[in-house]
Amino acid sequence: MLLLMSASFSYGQEKAKIKGLSFVGSSTPIDKKDVNPIVAINANWVTLMPYGFIGANGKVSFNSEWQWWGEKVEGIEKTVELCKAAGLKIMLKPQIWMRNEYTGNFKLSTEKEWGIFEQSYEDFISAILAVAIEHDVELFCIGTEWREFVKARPPFWNNLISETKKKYTGELTYAANWDDYAAVPFWKEMDLIGLNGYFPISISEKPKLKELLIGWEVHRKVLQEFSKKNDRKIVFTEIGYRSMEGSTIKPWEHNTRSKYSEEIQHFAYKALFDVLWKEDWFEGLFIWKWYHNHEGQGGKGDIDFTPQNKTAEKTIRSYWSN
């Protein structure tokens, strides 16, 4: 009887999957009306993304006067408060923006350069971590798509993780890119394996649902084995598709242009949910991306990633209704 009661209690406490949106920082203050559409799509999480920038001096600058309100500490704190008041959980995901360069390729030549950069990056992470601690944020992401940085500087990352754990009692993750997650050496120090899941899932510019289901099934098997090997569940720290033809061939591309297609974006999300959502190793996802001022975002003719005011918004809401 005791065993049965314990099993029942454990099942009752099972965590709900992460139904998350990547909530883009606003240039001006927001209020609760900007959070209501997030609740309406049946999301239970958001990720907030304070940005830092690498200057000519090799240091990370952040929380600067010229930055958008929603990217700075003031805006992040207010947005956390608004989202928590609406019953949403939070991931804080500080990111570095590099003009015309992918962060995964970031390298430096000398120990001095690495030292200057690493200290400023640690300062950036520490400042955002302080917000997470102050506001009881549930999940913190220590970095995003740092392929070469992770490979070149293991002692830095080990120390960053260790120091973070001394201060922060929430869960930790790291956002690896879809093509380099297997090389990250510290997954067992994380609570979740974080992936930016822009996996290619078709070779056709105008795929039908069947092709996308097959495309995801290939990745599903690999991800399942990786989760098992590392004894950690997987969360897609980013996942998204643009509403245009060709968007499922290289989903990470954000500058290309093609013919508008709500149907392909809808099929891409449907395939994703049909193949992965019920997998027990899959913790959930954060959809890229969602803007404030919902009524004025997305819609017919918009080929951006946002599903707002498109068929895909209804698709996501439907899958998240349970």
Side-chain angles (χ1 to χ4, degrees):
M1 177 65 71
L2 180 60
L3 289 175
L4 286 173
M5 288 175 65
S6 297
S8 177
F9 176 79
S10 176
Y11 180 80
Q13 296 298 309
E14 185 177 341
K15 289 166 61 179
K17 283 191 186 289
I18 293 173
K19 307 172 186 177
L21 299 175
S22 299
F23 195 18
V24 178
S26 166
S27 60
T28 56
I30 63 170
D31 58 33
K32 66 179 182 179
K33 76 176 185 300
D34 296 299
V35 177
N36 291 339
I38 297 174
V39 177
I41 200 175
N42 298 318
N44 57 7
W45 282 75
V46 295
T47 182
L48 306 180
M49 300 153 294
Y51 275 94
F53 305 82
I54 302 176
N57 60 1
K59 295 181 179 181
V60 175
S61 63
F62 61 95
N63 209 35
S64 303
E65 287 186 7
W66 50 266
Q67 283 187 253
W68 282 9
W69 176 86
E71 296 176 354
K72 296 186 291 185
V73 169
E74 175 193 2
I76 290 291
E77 288 187 316
K78 180 62 177 178
T79 306
V80 167
E81 291 171 0
L82 288 168
C83 289
K84 279 189 168 287
L88 299 165
K89 294 184 178 181
I90 313 290
M91 175 170 73
L92 279 183
K93 184 162 156 277
Q95 297 187 209
I96 299 296
W97 173 258
M98 299 177 66
R99 185 182 295 275
N100 300 323
E101 186 175 350
Y102 169 51
T103 53
N105 296 330
F106 178 77
K107 291 181 180 180
L108 293 169
S109 301
T110 68
E111 189 66 26
K112 181 179 179 181
E113 289 174 324
W114 275 117
I116 292 170
F117 169 74
E118 287 173 347
Q119 183 58 62
S120 65
Y121 183 75
E122 188 171 353
D123 291 343
F124 174 46
I125 295 298
S126 294
I128 307 306
L129 184 66
V131 176
I133 295 167
E134 174 68 21
H135 294 273
D136 295 321
V137 165
E138 291 85 357
L139 180 60
F140 189 82
C141 183
I142 62 169
T144 299
E145 297 180 353
W146 285 117
R147 182 185 62 223
E148 297 299 327
F149 184 11
V150 166
K151 186 190 304 183
R153 309 293 287 184
F156 170 81
W157 287 98
N158 291 338
N159 182 69
L160 180 65
I161 293 166
S162 176
E163 291 302 310
T164 300
K165 285 184 171 182
K166 290 177 184 177
K167 305 171 187 174
Y168 178 65
T169 58
E171 290 192 312
L172 282 182
T173 191
Y174 165 80
N177 200 31
W178 68 273
D179 61 352
D180 64 21
Y181 67 91
V184 174
F186 47 72
W187 286 130
K188 291 191 177 179
E189 297 300 316
M190 300 287 102
D191 295 288
L192 293 169
I193 296 170
L195 304 183
N196 288 353
Y198 300 107
F199 295 90
I201 54 171
S202 80
I203 58 173
S204 305
E205 292 216 345
K206 296 187 284 186
K208 296 301 182 185
L209 178 60
K210 183 178 179 180
E211 181 179 350
L212 302 179
L213 290 167
I214 293 170
W216 263 120
E217 183 60 30
V218 172
H219 300 304
R220 183 196 67 79
K221 293 176 182 178
V222 176
L223 292 170
Q224 181 178 31
E225 286 302 310
F226 192 76
S227 173
K228 182 179 178 181
K229 175 184 174 183
N230 288 275
D231 192 29
R232 294 292 184 274
K233 290 189 176 185
I234 292 173
V235 60
F236 284 169
T237 38
E238 289 178 24
I239 179 72
Y241 303 95
R242 297 170 70 192
S243 44
M244 69 177 200
E245 294 179 0
S247 62
T248 52
I249 300 173
K250 296 180 179 180
W252 61 89
E253 290 192 339
H254 61 277
N255 288 325
T256 55
R257 299 190 65 82
S258 187
K259 186 178 179 181
Y260 175 72
S261 174
E262 283 191 50
E263 183 180 63
I264 291 172
Q265 189 184 44
H266 155 69
F267 281 162
Y269 279 113
K270 183 169 174 53
L272 167 66
F273 285 114
D274 283 351
V275 175
L276 294 187
W277 195 248
K278 293 183 179 180
E279 295 289 318
D280 59 4
W281 53 265
F282 186 62
E283 188 74 355
L285 49 78
F286 291 92
I287 287 171
W288 187 266
K289 48 194 175 174
W290 190 272
Y291 297 93
H292 78 295
N293 185 26
H294 176 68
E295 294 80 5
Q297 303 300 333
K300 188 172 180 61
D302 174 75
I303 61 171
D304 190 14
F305 283 94
T306 181
Q308 289 168 275
N309 300 303
K310 303 172 189 175
T311 303
E313 182 180 346
K314 299 175 183 177
T315 308
I316 296 163
R317 182 182 294 110
S318 175
Y319 277 96
W320 284 355
S321 63
N322 296 324

